[in-house]
Structure formats: structure tokens, C-alpha cells
Amino acid sequence: MAASECPVKKANIGGGGTRNRDWWPNDLRLNILRQHTGVTNPQNKEFEYAAAFKTLDYDAIKKDLAALMTDSQDWWPADHGHYGGLFIRMAWHSAGTYRVTDGRGGGGEGQQRFAPLNSWPDNVSLDKARRLLWPIKQKYGNKISWADLYLLTGNVALESMGCPTFGFAGGRADTYEADESVYWGGETTWLGNDVRYDNGREGPGGGGSGTIDGDEGPKKGHSDIHSRNLEAPLGAAHMGLIYVNPEGPDGIPDPVASARDIRTTFGRMAMNDEETAALIVGGHTFGKTHGAAPSDNVGPEPNAAPLHQQGLGWSNKHGSGKGPDTITSGLEVIWTSEPNKWTNKYLEYLYKYEWELTKSPAGANQWVAKTDDEIVPDAFDKNKKHKPRMLTSDLALRFDPVYEKITRRWLEHPDELHDTFTRAWFKLLHRDMGPRSRWLGPEVPKDVLLWEDPLPAVDHPLINETDITELKKEILATNVDPTNFIRAAWAAASTFRGGDKRGGANGARIRLEPQIKWRVNNASELKPVLSALENVQQKFNSSAPGGKKVSLADLIVLGGVAALEKASGLPVPFTPGRTDASQEQTDIQSFEHLEPVVDGFRNYGVGNNRVRTEAFIVDRAHQLTLSAPQLTTLVGGLRTLNANWDGSSYGVFTKQPGKLSTDFFVNLLDMSTEWTPTDGAEEFFEGKDRKSGQKKWTATRTDLIFGHHPELRAVAEVYASADAEEKFKKDFIAAWDKVMNLDRFDVK
Ligand code: HEB
């Protein structure tokens, strides 16, 4: 980009000029650890969204939303007199960015208001949908977040068109700035996909799963649409799309190849073949697509649009620019003859007709039924009728043999389609909400679903202070090295990911498949710890009904607490109330996505030529919702506690391993030590005394980043100072306690 195109670099005011990120684009990005703070949030400090939502007149807002469906506005008239299709698409695009691979994306934060999502090519016209909702948002104010409102509106749209839903839960608090944490791909052009397929490869287990990256480094992929692999953790075939190209992979109208892309991308969203097919069939039962004329009529997206458009984008100079002249996707399809009604007509037409490739008025590939039946009503002109039409991605549901088997069954059994669709829709909208204790409102379904990672309810009195003291003594009296209790507690709790609020110590799933087998959990060390805790539990638990009991999940965390008290000499808080999930309550395949490939907190694994090792710990700290100071405290503390996954001494810069101290920081910043790499990749280092040349310490990149990165070093200096001992211990214990309780939505 020519300098003249970037006025910001030239702006001679605060924030202007060439910035650090321009000079050093590969610098470690700590900005994701300081998002959504009180500084950006306009609500009062005391504001609690859950409490506000409980005061919402739920029936009244649903009535208002139902009325809005047919209240067509001149500035954006409703197709067929009903906004249902548009609002379903809004809700689906809001939730549909979720990917199970890293738990990020999804509808949980109201991010469709912010860039890049507000301006994604796939979100054209949803700026209008959101704006249609403003009067209702304004009326109910803080009682409903935008995040909840987008999704609830999709639900009400379905209901208003004769499709009873599976339920709805509120509870998604809004954020007030763009979420910079999500990797949306490395492409620099909209709708590009060169990076994601060039670097793509299947993760362990293949078939659409995947990890952020393995330690082998990226394999060279290829762009053959029949065999290419999509880079993890991505869930979309192009930069700026929710899932796949509707015209077929890279625009090639090949329904079978389209099915392949659909399976991969919907699989990344944790949907199986049935759920995927049901979502597409159910969704495209409603509404229409918009491609009245070539897309060069369309102006810039909201984020690039002129100021006076006030956040709306894609102004369209074709005809009236709206209603029958609307240009959204550039495709021009109406799937059924009753686009405002829940019917089985999508499947009926899909199988009744043969399909012929044609072009939309905008020149895009789409399909038209080989028939003279003009049975589909025009969206605005009562005297006009059309032939049924489909997208390449729709035909995938007939021409892929697996989808075909499923959709032919539904052709005969529409009730099964309704059941699968409404359950999959509910999952789509709620997949990233975390445990049921966060689900609010009168429409929370009673059925317990495996994907919610269910936990049994507490069915016994909780342990009290006396019990806790007693149990801690019992734990420390076992023959297990206390460090191993710290490792086990950390291993259990640190599976949490803020993105979709899964994982954590509750449920004691660390003792179950797949976690018990994860290499990072070092089963040969972990198993004896768990059996020692089980012995303590058996001794404590009373068999009498209503008698005293403690869960293993509580004991795993309490073990860490007891060991940390011993190592620090200070009291460590503990909040009981966890329960133990069973293997049947644990979806093994779904939990595999939580396995760390690199975990700097435990000095596990190394990066690759795209993601350096130290970037992984920032990614993980973000999942653990930690700030940069909390990250620093925890790493320094865990090293002196000797908590590396395999007991190695990398970063254990202390003469007294196992004791909580500031030694990590003191020794890291000690100028008498000189560091040199011991391998070509510069992953491991040796610290020698500058004068004597004697070897003192060994370290990883994760350890040394705290001396290298200016902001992390600034925090490390605070903890290395002579006056820091007490502050450090307190900060460490507070951060530790935070991590132990990240999943305790039941007590927050
Ligand atoms: Fe859909 C629409 C594509 C899935 C729902 N879509 C649409 C369109 C397109 C599409 C292109 C058009 C837009 C405009 O306006 O133009 N999709 C697609 C694809 C896929 C899908 C490619 C994957 C395969 N959907 C889906 C789902 C759902 C949906 C899953 C839900 C559930 N869509 C929808 C709706 C609509 C659409 C409702 C309509 C809208 C209106 O009406 O406006």
C-alpha cells in the first residue's frame, strides 16, 4: 500500500504515525490479554447481565419480535412481507462462526456489531437486519444484550413461520469492542483462501477435526477441491464467509465437492452429518437469496462506508437499491413456493426435479429446476412466478451419498427432520455458552444434552471448614510428593477455555478418556495422585443417605490448595461444590479438541515455523482469561513450584524447587547469567555464569520470553525486586484461585 493511502501513518496526533506493529509485525501480541476490560465497557461496575436479564419481560419482547416480522419498513422492505428469512440468517451467521477446534467465534459476545464481522462479505444486508431490531433493543435496554437478541430473534422468526423450536436460553453478555483474539485466516483479500488451503492439514483423527498446529510444522497442502485440507482451527472455506462458497468450492459448481467442504466446515462447528443436513434443509426452507444485478453496483462495506451512512454499508445503486433490487450474495434463488412457512417443500423439490446449471442476474452459478412449473411466488410482484432454484451447496444434500441417505429419509418423515433441525439449531445457538448454570430464561429445555458437557447435581451437604482442614491433612499425609498435587490440579483446571467456556476442573474429567491419556498429563505420574485422592475420598465419604461426601473434583483442587499452602506458607482459598461426571457424560471426540499441543505453563511442547512457542502461551493465557501480569505471576510461580509436566528443570531457576518464591524472576534478570541456545531452532537454552563459564540453568523459549518481551519484562522486574516477595505470593495465589474456579459458573 502506498503511503498516501494510509493517512493514519501520517497523522501527526496521538495514536498516529508508524506504530510498533508496523515496525515489528512479528512481535508477540499481548493485546488479546487486555480486551473487554472496564475501560471499554460503558456499564456500571456493578452491572450484572444475568441479573438484568432476569427482569426482562420475556413474553412481551417475544410478542414485539413476532410483530416486527411482518412490520415491513420502507427503508428495507420485507421479502414476501416477512423478515423471518433475513433474521434466521442473521442469527445463524452470528452463531455460525463458532468452531469447536479452539472454542472461539460464535454468538456469545454480540460481535456481529464489530469489525471484521460487521463487514464480512458473507454478512451483506445483515447490517439492515440488526438495524431493524434497534427499536426493540432500545425499548428493553440493558435487560437484553445484542448477543441474546440476535439469537432470540432467529428463534422467534422460526416460531412465527410455524416451526416450533427446542427452546432458548439467554445469558450472553455483550462486549463493546472488536474481539482480536480469533484467527480468521492469514489471507489479505476478502474471499481469498490461499493461506488456509496451503497450510491445511488434517488434525489427529482427521475428518474435519484439527489442532491449532502440531509440532511437525505445516504440510504443504494443495488446492484440489476434491482432496484439499482446511487449516485448523478455521471453520470456513474462504476469508469472510461463515462456511462454504454457495456456488461450490472456489466457485466451481460441483455438488459432490461442495459436500466435502460442507462436511469439513460444519464438522469444525461440532455438527455431524445429520445435524449439518438438517440445518441446511431447515434454514433454506425459508426466505430467498438476493442477486438482482451485478455486485459492482454495491458500495463499500460498513467499516469502509462513508460517515453519513451511519454504520450501514453496501449501498446499492441498482434501481431502488432495496426490495426487488436487492443485491446480497449475488445469487437469485427462492427455494420453495411458501418461503414463510415451515414445510417439507425444500426436500420435495430437491428430489422431484432435475437441475440445470444457470447464472443469476449477477452472473453467479446457480441451478434451476428442469420444468415448466412456475410455482414460486415473487417476493414483491404478485403477478410474477418463478421456477424452483437451488444453490450448488443445496444440491450437495442430494448428490453426496451420505447426505442423500439422510435427506431421502426425511422426505418421507418430515417429523424426524423437524426434530433433528430444531435440536441442531438449539445446539448451534448455545454451543458456546458453557454449562447449564449459565442458561437463563423460561425456555431452557429440560432435556440434558451430551454436547453441554453435563455435570451431575450436588446431592449431598458440602464439606465445611473443619472437613476442609481435615482433608488437607489427609492429603498431605499420603506418600505423594506435594508437587504432584499441584500438577494434577493445574492439569485439571487449565483445560478451561474462555471461548466456549468448556473444560475446567469440575466434573473430574481428568480421570476419564480422553484426558487421562493426554501426553501432557503424564499418566504415569498422574494416576498414583488420583488413586491417593480416591483413597482419601473413600475414607471420608459416608455411605449413609444424606451423609458427608466429597467429590473427587473437589479433592483434586483441594490437593493443589494443600500443596500450595505448604509451599507458600500462606492460606489458599478453596470453594467446594464440584461434582464428578461419568464417562457416559463425556463426549470423548469433543473433548479431544481441548488437548494442548503446546502448553507453556507446564513447559510442554514446542512451536513451529509459523507459531513460535511463546505465542502458544499467550493463546492459552487468553483462553484462561488471564491478564499479562497474571500470566507472568503464574509462570514464575509454577516454575519454582517445580510443576513442569515431566518434572524437567527447564525454567526452574531456584535452589529450592517446590517452594513458592520469586527466584524465577530474580535469576532470570540476574546480569551475571549469559544465555545461549543449545539447539538450531533456538527452543532450548543454557544459562552460564559470565565469569566462571559454569552452567547454572536451562530454559525454554517460554521461560526466556519474560526477559525478552518489554512488557513481560516490566512485570518480571516488579516481581524480581527486593520488596516483592509478599506481593508475588499473594498475586500468585489469587491467580491460581482464579484458574481453579474459572468453570464455577454455579457460584459466580
Ligand atoms: Fe443459507 C440465505 C448460503 C447454510 C439459513 N444462504 C442464504 C444465501 C446464501 C446462503 C448464498 C443468500 C443470501 C442473500 O440474501 O443473498 N447457507 C448458504 C450456504 C450454507 C448455508 C453456502 C452452507 C451450506 N443457511 C444455512 C444454514 C441456515 C441458513 C445452516 C440456517 C439454519 N440462508 C438461511 C436463510 C436464508 C439464507 C434463512 C434466507 C435469508 C433471507 O431470506 O433474506
Side-chain angles (χ1 to χ4, degrees):
M1 186 188 284
S4 61
E5 287 169 42
C6 187
V8 176
K9 282 189 190 169
K10 290 188 183 147
N12 56 341
I13 50 150
T18 317
R19 317 297 308 166
N20 286 350
R21 200 170 277 187
D22 305 314
W23 296 119
W24 302 282
N26 288 323
D27 202 15
L28 193 64
R29 295 186 180 179
L30 296 183
N31 62 314
I32 63 170
L33 305 184
R34 44 178 170 262
Q35 299 190 118
H36 315 312
T37 61
V39 181
T40 47
N41 190 329
Q43 305 296 351
N44 296 336
K45 237 180 154 182
E46 319 74 61
F47 177 74
E48 266 182 50
Y49 177 58
F53 183 87
K54 284 179 187 149
T55 68
L56 173 70
D57 187 340
Y58 193 77
D59 294 333
I61 195 170
K62 281 191 72 175
K63 263 195 206 123
D64 287 349
L65 288 170
L68 173 66
M69 296 292 154
T70 51
D71 186 12
S72 184
Q73 303 293 311
D74 285 344
W75 62 267
W76 194 256
D79 300 332
H80 300 102
H82 202 294
Y83 287 122
L86 179 65
F87 283 139
I88 292 171
R89 178 168 159 257
M90 174 190 71
W92 136 246
H93 283 207
S94 174
T97 54
Y98 171 78
R99 61 279 178 106
V100 69
T101 35
D102 68 355
R104 294 194 175 104
E109 302 178 356
Q111 279 289 317
Q112 208 179 76
R113 294 176 290 152
F114 300 107
L117 301 179
N118 70 343
S119 295
W120 265 14
D122 216 2
N123 285 339
V124 181
S125 301
L126 296 181
D127 53 338
K128 318 298 189 300
R130 294 192 299 275
R131 213 46 83 75
L132 285 165
L133 281 175
W134 168 239
I136 291 181
K137 172 69 178 111
Q138 188 172 36
K139 175 173 171 187
Y140 292 91
N142 281 336
K143 295 186 166 110
I144 187 153
S145 63
W146 277 115
D148 276 346
L149 186 58
Y150 296 151
L151 303 183
L152 177 61
T153 304
N155 246 38
V156 174
L158 287 172
E159 289 167 358
S160 77
M161 295 188 291
C163 178
T165 63
F166 189 72
F168 182 81
R172 304 163 188 82
D174 278 336
T175 50
Y176 291 88
E177 61 183 312
D179 184 347
E180 292 266 334
S181 73
V182 193
Y183 175 71
W184 295 122
E187 293 83 8
T188 51
T189 52
W190 292 117
L191 304 179
N193 65 5
D194 46 316
V195 177
R196 65 196 62 207
Y197 287 113
D198 208 30
N199 292 311
R201 63 196 193 88
E202 298 288 283
S209 76
T211 54
I212 294 186
D213 229 324
D215 30 26
E216 311 153 38
K219 262 191 217 151
K220 193 90 176 149
H222 45 92
S223 55
D224 177 352
I225 57 167
H226 298 283
S227 62
R228 63 186 181 181
N229 290 327
L230 177 63
E231 169 187 35
L234 296 177
H238 293 262
M239 175 63 96
L241 287 192
I242 308 298
Y243 281 104
V244 304
N245 189 331
E247 294 180 67
D250 295 355
I252 301 165
D254 178 338
V256 174
S258 176
R260 193 177 184 278
D261 276 4
I262 292 173
R263 187 163 285 121
T264 305
T265 57
F266 279 72
R268 295 277 169 90
M269 200 188 54
M271 297 293 173
N272 64 24
D273 283 334
E274 295 234 346
E275 291 164 328
T276 302
L279 283 171
I280 300 168
V281 171
H284 289 179
T285 293
F286 302 108
K288 78 180 283 278
T289 75
H290 304 84
S295 54
D296 56 12
N297 287 291
V298 176
E301 68 277 11
N303 238 44
L307 188 81
H308 62 264
Q309 284 183 22
Q310 293 290 285
L312 294 181
W314 300 292
S315 82
N316 170 7
K317 58 180 199 285
H318 171 69
S320 65
K322 59 189 180 181
D325 301 317
T326 301
I327 303 169
T328 298
S329 59
L331 292 144
E332 190 61 43
V333 162
I334 306 174
W335 294 278
T336 89
S337 66
E338 289 182 289
N340 302 340
K341 244 198 199 156
W342 176 253
T343 65
N344 209 22
K345 287 188 171 157
Y346 175 97
L347 286 181
E348 286 165 19
Y349 296 0
L350 183 65
Y351 283 105
K352 178 173 176 189
Y353 298 110
E354 294 312 311
W355 299 91
E356 196 172 1
L357 185 64
T358 174
K359 296 263 183 212
S360 73
N365 285 319
Q366 57 180 42
W367 301 76
V368 61
K370 281 193 200 167
T371 176
D372 295 328
D373 299 353
E374 303 237 315
I375 51 174
V376 173
D378 189 78
F380 293 95
D381 185 344
K382 285 201 178 66
N383 302 317
K384 240 199 221 160
K385 295 273 185 197
H386 305 274
K387 290 180 189 173
R389 291 187 163 79
M390 293 268 167
L391 308 172
T392 302
S393 52
D394 294 309
L395 297 192
L397 302 178
R398 172 171 163 184
F399 293 101
D400 175 84
V402 179
Y403 290 142
E404 184 196 358
K405 227 177 130 191
I406 297 167
T407 53
R408 274 199 197 274
R409 196 179 80 231
W410 290 335
L411 188 58
E412 307 305 325
H413 301 283
D415 47 325
E416 283 180 37
L417 168 65
H418 180 261
D419 185 60
T420 311
F421 170 63
T422 50
R423 282 172 184 270
W425 175 261
F426 182 81
K427 177 175 171 180
L428 170 72
L429 269 48
H430 298 81
R431 186 73 185 82
D432 59 347
M433 279 195 81
R436 189 167 272 259
S437 48
R438 296 191 70 240
W439 304 8
L440 306 176
E443 292 193 292
V444 173
K446 296 224 163 42
D447 292 31
V448 173
L449 306 152
L450 185 57
W451 56 258
E452 68 181 82
D453 303 339
L455 294 167
V458 183
D459 61 353
H460 52 85
L462 295 185
I463 48 175
N464 60 28
E465 283 306 318
T466 324
D467 301 328
I468 291 172
T469 313
E470 180 58 34
L471 283 166
K472 285 194 283 200
K473 254 191 226 148
E474 296 276 338
I475 291 170
L476 293 178
T478 62
N479 56 7
V480 173
D481 173 358
T483 301
N484 283 337
F485 290 121
I486 288 179
R487 288 187 190 147
W490 182 266
S494 69
T495 53
F496 182 81
R497 35 185 218 186
D500 56 3
K501 300 170 181 65
R502 298 183 65 206
N506 206 351
R509 288 191 161 97
I510 186 145
R511 77 195 196 287
L512 305 174
E513 300 272 325
Q515 293 184 37
I516 190 70
K517 281 205 181 137
W518 288 352
R519 186 158 172 266
V520 66
N521 285 344
N522 201 350
S524 60
E525 294 282 330
L526 177 62
K527 281 183 181 164
V529 182
L530 294 176
S531 28
L533 291 173
E534 272 159 6
N535 289 340
V536 174
Q537 182 189 31
Q538 271 161 26
K539 240 175 95 186
F540 180 84
N541 279 5
S542 139
S543 54
K548 277 190 182 176
K549 270 186 185 150
V550 62
S551 65
L552 193 66
D554 268 350
L555 280 181
I556 290 167
V557 173
L558 191 59
V561 166
L564 183 55
E565 286 184 339
K566 195 174 163 183
S568 66
L570 289 175
V572 177
F574 174 74
T575 315
R578 296 170 187 83
T579 58
D580 299 336
S582 66
Q583 188 68 64
E584 294 67 51
Q585 289 168 319
T586 306
D587 181 340
I588 295 178
Q589 204 196 340
S590 173
F591 268 93
E592 273 166 1
H593 294 294
L594 274 59
E595 179 178 5
V597 269
V598 177
D599 179 0
F601 287 101
R602 295 185 266 176
N603 250 336
Y604 172 78
V606 295
N608 52 60
N609 53 2
R610 289 188 63 213
V611 190
R612 294 245 64 174
T613 306
E614 60 274 24
F616 278 100
I617 201 170
V618 176
D619 181 88
R620 192 138 201 92
H622 174 261
Q623 293 284 25
L624 295 173
T625 71
L626 301 172
S627 66
Q630 286 168 336
L631 159 66
T632 310
T633 316
L634 281 167
V635 170
L638 286 167
R639 293 297 184 269
T640 61
L641 291 169
N642 201 18
N644 285 344
W645 75 286
D646 57 351
S648 79
S649 54
Y650 289 110
V652 184
F653 308 147
T654 177
K655 296 265 147 29
Q656 295 173 286
K659 192 172 164 243
L660 185 68
S661 75
T662 58
D663 286 359
F664 173 85
F665 301 108
V666 173
N667 288 313
L668 178 70
L669 305 187
D670 182 349
M671 286 313 298
S672 71
T673 307
E674 185 176 27
W675 291 97
T676 44
T678 54
D679 64 322
E682 302 192 0
E683 287 291 345
F684 302 98
F685 305 84
E686 200 170 69
K688 288 188 181 151
D689 186 88
R690 280 182 206 276
K691 272 197 197 130
S692 68
Q694 211 179 6
K695 185 174 152 184
K696 288 161 75 180
W697 317 111
T698 56
T700 64
R701 292 189 71 83
T702 305
D703 301 319
L704 294 196
I705 192 69
F706 293 91
H708 168 78
H709 190 278
E711 286 179 30
L712 295 177
R713 187 178 178 99
V715 180
E717 283 167 355
V718 170
Y719 290 128
S721 296
D723 56 0
E725 185 84 22
E726 199 187 325
K727 173 182 165 53
F728 167 70
K729 283 188 183 178
K730 284 193 175 148
D731 289 356
F732 179 86
I733 289 168
W736 170 273
D737 184 51
K738 170 175 169 163
V739 172
M740 293 302 130
N741 293 297
L742 282 170
D743 59 350
R744 298 300 306 281
F745 299 104
D746 54 320
V747 294
K748 270 170 213 158

